[in-house]
Amino acid sequence: MQETRLDTARIRAARRVIDPVFLDTPLYRCEALEPDLGCTVSIKLETANPVRSFKARGTEVVGSLLAGHGSRAAVCASAGNLGQALAWSGRGRGIDVTVVASRFATVAKLDRIRALGARLELVDGDHEVARERAAAIARHDGIRLVEDSLDLETCEGAATIGLELVDTVPAFDAVLIALGGGALATGVGHVVKALAPEVEVICVQPLGAPAMTHSWRRRRVVTTDSADTIADGVAGRRPIPAVLDDLLLVADDAVLVRETSIMAGMRMLLDHAGLVVEPSAALGIAAILEDRDRFAGRHVVTILCGSNVDVDAYHRWVGAASTHRP
């Protein structure tokens, strides 16, 4: 395999600094999903932890490095999950955390960031506007800017999921990974291609937020003017060049799915697995729903990456899914 920015030895070392509460998350075959999907499905449940998403694997690595260097402040931009994770990791290490988010972000995520003790600054506009503001704060205050997907710690923390997959799951044929900024996809993809190269790495993104998928297909950065999807956790518009370079080396495919399929996937996970997930976590199921023939008879693993969701919106989405098939 050609070299990405990631390093497998560092990824193994990351497990030693991540709080065990975020490691070895539930991983099991979900047979109840299989009649409707037409394939063997295993799910990796990254919601069973204090911040209900995979992001703390990366912020634990960031927090450990900051504390080791005596740094006591950090800032990030977040749609909600990274902010919660950095706040959690910072609180335990005495690091002052500032999170910049869009004022249109999910209220439940913003409330949790505040509850974890971080300073929250809201901006008009989307996540890209928040990224610009976070960078300005870091420059002005001289503090660490944590940039999801660009910072290797966020990618290598997420990559520990890949170690758990290849060490635990009996032979599987494909892994479906939500694609946003790219930390999860490049991290898990790196480990899978290094240790189980026969496994197909498939990234999944909403049709309404396709920038990284278009970039992967064209092998160059493609930006979009807007993003329109219920999957706020993957709704970026400006891919990071270095992250795209890594993705090009580890992803076998990148696919786009419809909003109706995302909602149907959320509904299936509720009905057949008893799991409440946010839209980004249902992208893998949505991909199978839209292309059952591709996955027929195969063993597919999908990572359920988060469950921070507005309750009212969730009920609207899964209610709509009950009357529509993708």
Side-chain angles (χ1 to χ4, degrees):
M1 188 182 87
Q2 291 177 270
E3 292 298 317
T4 69
R5 296 177 302 147
L6 285 71
D7 179 81
T8 304
R10 283 200 309 264
I11 294 165
R12 293 192 182 280
R15 281 185 56 89
R16 297 194 287 271
V17 302
I18 297 171
D19 189 311
V21 74
F22 299 109
L23 297 174
D24 301 311
T25 50
L27 171 64
Y28 57 93
R29 179 178 171 185
C30 191
E31 293 184 56
L33 289 170
E34 295 174 0
D36 284 341
L37 296 179
C39 59
T40 300
V41 181
S42 291
I43 57 177
K44 180 67 165 163
L45 190 62
E46 287 297 305
T47 65
N49 63 55
V51 299
R52 302 197 304 197
S53 84
F54 77 95
K55 296 286 189 181
R57 290 179 183 252
T59 60
E60 282 289 277
V61 182
V62 171
S64 176
L65 290 174
L66 287 173
H69 288 93
S71 301
R72 286 292 172 257
V75 59
C76 74
S78 175
N81 287 347
L82 178 70
Q84 290 180 71
L86 187 60
W88 196 95
S89 297
R91 185 179 66 175
R93 296 173 172 85
I95 299 168
D96 292 328
V97 171
T98 298
V99 178
V100 184
S102 167
R103 66 178 66 258
F104 307 109
T106 301
V107 173
K109 294 181 180 182
L110 300 181
D111 287 346
R112 185 61 180 153
I113 290 169
R114 294 187 184 97
L116 288 167
R119 173 178 172 265
L120 180 63
E121 179 174 326
L122 300 180
V123 297
D124 292 317
D126 63 8
H127 181 64
E128 301 302 342
V129 176
R131 283 173 62 181
E132 293 171 0
R133 176 57 183 158
I137 292 172
R139 289 192 299 270
H140 183 271
D141 295 348
I143 62 176
R144 167 68 186 269
L145 173 63
V146 179
E147 294 194 78
D148 198 20
S149 303
L150 177 60
D151 290 357
L152 278 176
E153 299 97 329
T154 64
C155 301
E156 293 182 342
T160 60
I161 298 169
L163 292 178
E164 293 167 20
L165 289 179
V166 298
D167 288 346
T168 308
V169 182
F172 58 104
D173 302 303
V175 58
L176 292 164
I177 311 172
L179 179 60
L184 183 64
T186 59
V188 174
H190 172 91
V191 171
V192 169
K193 285 305 176 187
L195 303 180
E198 71 283 359
V199 173
E200 189 177 20
V201 174
I202 304 170
C203 303
V204 190
Q205 202 164 36
L207 269 168
M212 186 63 100
T213 296
H214 287 332
S215 299
W216 181 86
R217 290 175 177 176
R218 299 177 192 177
R219 304 190 69 82
R220 61 177 177 82
V221 170
V222 177
T223 62
T224 59
D225 293 330
S226 62
D228 183 15
T229 178
I230 62 172
D232 61 315
V234 295
R237 297 187 288 109
R238 302 173 189 166
I240 299 168
V243 182
L244 174 60
D245 289 344
D246 290 339
L247 191 69
L248 289 169
L249 294 174
V250 301
D252 295 300
D253 200 3
V255 301
L256 297 170
V257 295
R258 300 186 299 271
E259 299 292 292
T260 53
S261 301
I262 298 171
M263 290 186 283
M266 295 171 70
R267 180 67 190 232
M268 288 186 67
L269 287 164
L270 176 64
D271 288 347
H272 300 305
L275 296 172
V276 174
V277 300
E278 61 187 82
S280 300
L283 288 169
I285 301 298
I288 302 173
L289 286 171
E290 291 200 3
D291 198 355
R292 287 179 175 86
D293 289 346
R294 175 176 186 171
F295 299 102
R298 304 175 75 191
H299 183 181
V300 180
V301 174
T302 187
I303 300 165
L304 305 188
C305 54
S307 64
N308 292 296
V309 64
D310 178 81
V311 174
D312 291 338
Y314 178 83
H315 285 303
R316 289 197 304 273
W317 297 331
V318 298
S322 67
T323 57
H324 295 87
R325 286 182 63 86

